[in-house]
Amino acid sequence: MKQIVVLGAGVNGLSAAVQLAEYYYNVAKVTLISEDVTPNTTGDVSAGLWGPYYCGKTPDHKIVKWSADTHVFFHQLWKNGLASPLGISLQPCTRLTTDPNGYPEPSWKDIVFGCVKLSQKELERLSYEHGRNYTGGYHFATFTCQPMGLLPYLFNRFINVGGKFVQAKVNSIESILSGRKVDLIVNCTGLGSMNMLGDKEMLPIRGQIARVCAPWVFEIILDDSDDGNYVIPNTETVILGGTHQMNDFNRNVNKDDSKFIFDGCERMLPSLKNAKLVQEQVGLRPGRSTVRLELEHYKAGNLTVPVIHNYGHGGCGVTLAWGCGAEVLEISQKLDLDVDSKSKL
């Protein structure tokens, strides 16, 4: 039986592991290795909003392909009765900017539902209400899928088709090959690739958020400006944000950031002043110049092993995860893993 190892149990690692384990059922043993697992991953801090955000210079056609696959996946889960346990909501969303160049037409506008450009009159109204000077924006409906629900679902789905989980820290590709036969490695270690691979293009993008109890809020508002805030309702809480501090490893809550978040979000929605604070959190997004999703024939001593790298998703981890996992599977299918199609799920 072939041996496949997936490194990293974040949303991208789990999405890849599930699709590999299901496709290669009874043909290959898929082992997931990670130091951390939900609820202790970067994704657990995320609001789980579908929306391309901080993808670096990743080509638009790739972002559209991967994010469209994920949007379809969320839609299927939502329609099939899993909305409540996974925390999936379909909500109206308004994305805005104060950039002097306005808001260019999004490459992903045909993926979401009912995407329309905001009129000048609407921009003026929102600018007045928020105390901002908006120059452009779009309104549409899209999904939020809470990682606190999605990640356990994916983990259990992986285990239920025979996947094996090992909780351990991996410092190098060579350590995976030591004393075992491995036919394929899938690297989804996110920021871990900084040290494991020495990838100098990686950097942390620090994000601080607050979770509040505000059950009267039913609309997503995103100000994509550098000094903008956002309000993202989940099923249990509302996420207020946020920060995107480049190359900042600080995981502690910063009081100045808290003030920026609460003041900015309350300007958007004054009723948030009455919201009860549930928790403040900090996560480090795995930033990179571009998402790295490619096959490498990795040489370790006398061995050469195929490694599919899938990391550097920036602020798009949840948005791209299922689509990137599907491409990982596509790449693996081109390798000689001796798969009999009759054995697949």
Side-chain angles (χ1 to χ4, degrees), residues 67-101:
S67 62
D69 287 348
T70 305
H71 200 271
V72 169
F73 177 59
F74 288 165
H75 197 184
Q76 291 172 338
L77 295 173
W78 181 75
K79 290 191 296 184
N80 292 336
L82 291 172
S84 178
L86 271 64
I88 303 176
S89 299
L90 178 60
Q91 301 182 62
C93 178
T94 302
R95 290 186 73 159
L96 301 152
T97 187
T98 59
D99 190 298
N101 297 317

Side-chain angles (χ1 to χ4, degrees), residues 51-256:
Y53 180 74
Y54 280 107
C55 314
K57 297 180 180 179
T58 307
D60 277 351
H61 72 275
K62 292 186 177 182
I63 296 298
V64 168
K65 179 181 182 296
W66 297 330
S67 62
D69 287 348
T70 305
H71 200 271
V72 169
F73 177 59
F74 288 165
H75 197 184
Q76 291 172 338
L77 295 173
W78 181 75
K79 290 191 296 184
N80 292 336
L82 291 172
S84 178
L86 271 64
I88 303 176
S89 299
L90 178 60
Q91 301 182 62
C93 178
T94 302
R95 290 186 73 159
L96 301 152
T97 187
T98 59
D99 190 298
N101 297 317
Y103 207 127
E105 183 176 86
S107 59
W108 41 263
K109 68 180 181 63
D110 293 328
I111 299 172
V112 295
F113 304 115
C115 186
V116 294
K117 186 176 182 178
L118 295 177
S119 67
Q120 185 59 36
K121 185 177 181 180
E122 290 171 310
L123 290 173
E124 290 172 359
R125 175 181 63 83
L126 290 169
S127 295
Y128 175 77
E129 291 179 358
H130 297 175
R132 302 284 283 169
N133 184 24
Y134 294 128
T135 56
Y138 283 82
H139 185 75
F140 52 92
T142 190
F143 292 101
T144 56
C145 184
Q146 294 173 219
M148 288 186 290
L150 176 64
L151 293 176
Y153 164 78
L154 291 174
F155 185 85
N156 290 331
R157 184 164 160 177
F158 170 71
I159 297 298
N160 288 340
V161 289
K164 179 184 177 182
F165 173 66
V166 176
Q167 189 160 11
K169 183 176 182 178
V170 176
N171 294 312
S172 66
I173 299 293
E174 287 82 358
S175 67
I176 297 299
L177 302 174
S178 178
R180 75 177 88 183
K181 178 181 178 294
V182 178
D183 299 285
L184 172 64
I185 295 174
V186 180
N187 171 33
C188 303
T189 55
L191 278 177
S193 290
M194 291 182 69
N195 296 322
M196 190 178 76
L197 300 177
D199 189 334
K200 295 181 180 179
E201 292 189 47
M202 290 293 297
L203 79 161
I205 305 175
R206 180 181 178 275
Q208 180 172 320
I209 59 98
R211 295 179 184 271
V212 300
C213 183
W216 58 87
V217 179
F218 294 96
E219 179 183 11
I220 301 162
I221 305 174
L222 303 172
D223 182 347
D224 287 333
S225 313
D226 282 343
D227 60 346
N229 295 93
Y230 57 79
V231 177
I232 305 174
N234 279 173
T235 55
E236 300 295 331
T237 58
V238 175
I239 313 302
L240 310 182
T243 67
H244 52 270
Q245 292 133 340
M246 301 296 181
N247 208 27
D248 189 336
F249 286 91
N250 179 19
R251 293 179 179 269
N252 298 316
V253 172
N254 180 283
K255 291 183 179 180
D256 290 337

